[in-house]
Amino acid sequence: MLRFSESVSFDRRLAPFDVEGSRAHAAMLARVGLLSRRDRAAIDAGLRAIGREIAAGKFRWDVRLEDVHMNIEQALTKRVPAAARLHTGRSRNDQVATDIRLYLKSACAGLAARIAAAQRAILRAARAADGVLIPGYTHLQRAQPVPLGHHLCAWLEMLQRDAGRFAAVADHANWCPLGSGAIAGTTLRLDREFTARELGFVDAAGRPRVTRNSMDAVSDRDVHVEFAAACALTGAHLSRIAEDLILWATREFDFVALPDEFTTGSSLMPQKKNPDALELIRGKAARLQGNLQTLLTLVKGLPLTYNRDLQEDKPPMFDSHDQLGLCLEVLAGTVAGLKVKRASCAAAVADPALLATDLADYLVRRGVAFREAHHAVGAAVRAAEEAAVPLNRLPWATLRAIHPRFGRDWTRAFDLTRAMALRRGTGMPGPAGLRRELARWRERLE
């Protein structure tokens, strides 16, 4: 049963936050007269010493004491007898809820920093890809030409939404449950607002934020689920980015070369350069989704308030934090070492069929309804395929037979530089708009 029920093997990760919470609780008890100033000073000094030992890896954990809280409390009481008073007015239920919220605020900040680092690597790659065009794809079929920088900016947008989600999770975690007790608070006079301020549970104006219902405070695991969801969605985005890079690095696409540090060779085929790091990012995305499912399943049938099932909320949460952090670092390193194959990109984007939609737009500007123009260009594409010639090499007479609104200047639609310059609208990949976007991202990230 001891092996089955202990959690200190994984929840000792909460130790710095448990020490922080206990120091604030002791300060509050002294403030309201439930602890002498002398005892508070001794407890605080003892907690700080234990914190240093934990940070140095010198603290001895004992599974017989079950969890991080009892390990720290027992060690403190041996050194400072007055620590027997420390648990006044609190339960392990509100204690762990507080620890987790402190942990999640820190975890969100750390992941946001890693997201920003990955974004900076992507931004540098986008700026270095000035003038490079590639085919954009729908249904994994060549669709329209786009600047490589525009494609990379799409990754920046995805990751920025992820950063916003972690900011929201941190805000949802920013409510102090300490003082809720096991379920119904305490008859002792506590100053929950003081504790909240001590621990940084405050709003933008510095006002304390304390939970409003003691039963909800000790059983709420929404913020755990939200954190895992934010990790899972970020992982899905990283998986999509990884898939783009995996495709681009194939001989069939040949748009980029991946850095050797993030690839491996084959154990049998000496010519292979496998994108293992990117494939692992795809695999880790599944793991992150599994952690989210674990937490949702864990809480779905629990009655209020605390149940021991909730001990199992920590491993998937810790794992999501660790794995996503690694994925972000690996992505940043991979992108930083990326080499763009400009000649291959130029050859791929030279296919005039990529500008078939621009040809339909040409007819629209000449007064043709878009559906009619779309039909006419489709007929032109079929004619080019049957004649085995590029679309822009069809005889003008053939075009005139398809639709009378084709003028002698119809081939202007296949000028790539002009085609890009015409894309002037907000969010479009025209060169002026891309320069503005790169400048905006540079100001935001650097």
Side-chain angles (χ1 to χ4, degrees):
M1 182 60 188
L2 179 61
R3 293 198 311 274
F4 186 60
S5 64
E6 68 84 21
S7 61
V8 71
S9 57
F10 54 83
D11 69 13
R12 62 188 182 189
R13 182 167 180 166
L14 296 174
F17 308 101
D18 197 70
V19 168
E20 183 182 356
S22 290
R23 291 181 65 199
H25 187 66
M28 183 276 295
L29 292 176
R31 177 182 174 85
V32 300
L34 292 172
L35 192 65
S36 71
R37 290 186 178 183
R38 176 179 294 181
D39 286 347
R40 184 256 168 160
I43 289 171
D44 191 75
L47 285 167
R48 284 188 284 111
I50 288 173
R52 288 191 295 270
E53 289 176 21
I54 292 170
K58 296 179 179 178
F59 187 82
R60 298 188 65 178
W61 301 99
D62 186 348
V63 295
R64 291 172 298 179
L65 297 174
E66 285 194 344
D67 59 27
V68 60
H69 320 292
M70 290 306 297
N71 267 264
I72 292 175
E73 184 176 324
Q74 288 291 315
L76 180 65
T77 305
K78 288 179 181 178
R79 306 176 193 197
V80 183
R85 298 180 181 275
L86 179 59
H87 209 56
T88 303
R90 75 174 180 183
S91 161
R92 275 192 287 182
N93 294 359
D94 61 342
Q95 188 176 356
V96 69
T98 304
D99 291 359
I100 287 290
R101 286 170 180 266
L102 290 170
Y103 164 81
L104 285 175
K105 288 171 66 176
S106 174
C108 287
L111 289 175
R114 284 184 169 86
I115 288 173
Q119 286 179 301
R120 284 191 289 271
I122 293 168
L123 177 60
R124 286 191 289 271
R127 293 174 63 199
D130 183 43
V132 177
L133 299 176
I134 61 171
Y137 292 80
T138 63
H139 306 277
L140 207 55
Q141 305 293 314
R142 288 182 177 179
Q144 292 180 288
V146 294
L148 177 56
H150 188 68
H151 191 122
L152 299 182
C153 281
W155 296 354
L156 294 178
E157 295 287 347
M158 294 159 68
L159 292 173
Q160 193 61 32
R161 292 194 297 273
D162 294 324
R165 271 181 281 273
F166 282 111
V169 173
D171 182 64
H172 293 170
N174 193 30
W175 291 84
C176 184
L178 203 57
S180 299
I183 180 172
T186 176
T187 60
L188 301 171
R189 185 170 62 90
L190 304 182
D191 189 341
R192 295 190 63 206
E193 287 71 21
F194 173 84
T195 310
R197 279 191 294 268
E198 286 286 292
L199 292 173
F201 289 107
V202 295
D203 63 16
R207 294 183 294 261
R209 299 173 88 182
V210 297
T211 52
R212 307 302 301 178
N213 185 289
S214 60
M215 294 179 70
D216 178 63
V218 297
S219 61
D220 171 29
R221 292 301 184 268
D222 289 3
V223 73
H224 304 55
V225 175
E226 289 174 340
F227 178 76
C231 289
L233 188 47
T234 305
H237 287 158
L238 297 187
S239 183
R240 296 186 70 184
I241 293 170
E243 179 63 10
D244 279 345
L245 289 170
I246 289 168
L247 288 172
W248 290 353
T250 62
R251 289 288 181 90
E252 288 73 17
F253 282 71
D254 204 33
F255 294 166
V256 300
L258 300 175
D260 290 344
E261 297 88 344
F262 294 92
T263 58
T264 64
S266 166
S267 63
L268 176 66
M269 296 165 284
Q271 84 283 7
K272 294 286 295 298
K273 185 176 180 179
N274 298 326
D276 283 23
L278 296 170
E279 291 172 348
L280 281 169
I281 286 176
R282 286 190 314 199
K284 301 286 189 184
R287 182 167 168 177
L288 295 171
Q289 292 169 24
N291 288 337
L292 170 60
Q293 187 62 37
T294 295
L295 287 169
L296 286 169
T297 306
L298 178 68
V299 300
K300 74 173 183 62
L302 293 183
L304 292 180
T305 55
Y306 182 81
N307 298 270
R308 191 63 180 270
D309 314 46
L310 293 175
Q311 175 176 295
E312 295 301 312
D313 60 3
K314 298 166 197 66
M317 183 177 59
F318 294 156
D319 186 63
S320 288
H321 181 192
D322 293 341
Q323 297 306 316
L324 182 58
L326 283 170
C327 288
L328 287 164
E329 290 183 19
V330 167
L331 178 68
T334 301
V335 172
L338 206 63
K339 290 182 174 60
V340 176
K341 298 185 175 182
R342 288 175 173 262
S344 296
C345 293
V349 84
D351 181 2
L354 292 170
L355 291 167
T357 304
D358 293 61
L359 186 58
D361 291 344
Y362 162 84
L363 288 177
V364 169
R365 285 193 291 271
R366 293 174 67 88
V368 180
F370 180 78
R371 287 297 181 194
E372 185 180 343
H374 185 279
H375 180 76
V377 173
V381 170
R382 286 192 297 274
E385 290 173 349
E386 291 169 1
V389 297
L391 179 59
N392 62 339
R393 297 298 185 185
L394 276 175
W396 181 56
T398 302
L399 269 293
R400 290 286 291 181
I402 290 173
H403 200 287
R405 297 304 294 174
F406 279 113
R408 289 189 179 274
D409 64 343
W410 72 282
T411 55
R412 292 185 66 202
F414 297 96
D415 183 334
L416 263 175
T417 301
R418 180 174 178 273
M420 290 296 104
L422 288 173
R423 287 163 164 79
R424 304 187 187 97
T426 302
M428 296 184 190
L434 179 56
R435 284 193 296 271
R436 287 193 298 271
E437 280 301 287
L438 292 175
R440 180 177 72 86
W441 280 112
R442 185 178 184 184
E443 181 179 356
R444 169 174 283 185
L445 296 172
E446 296 183 351

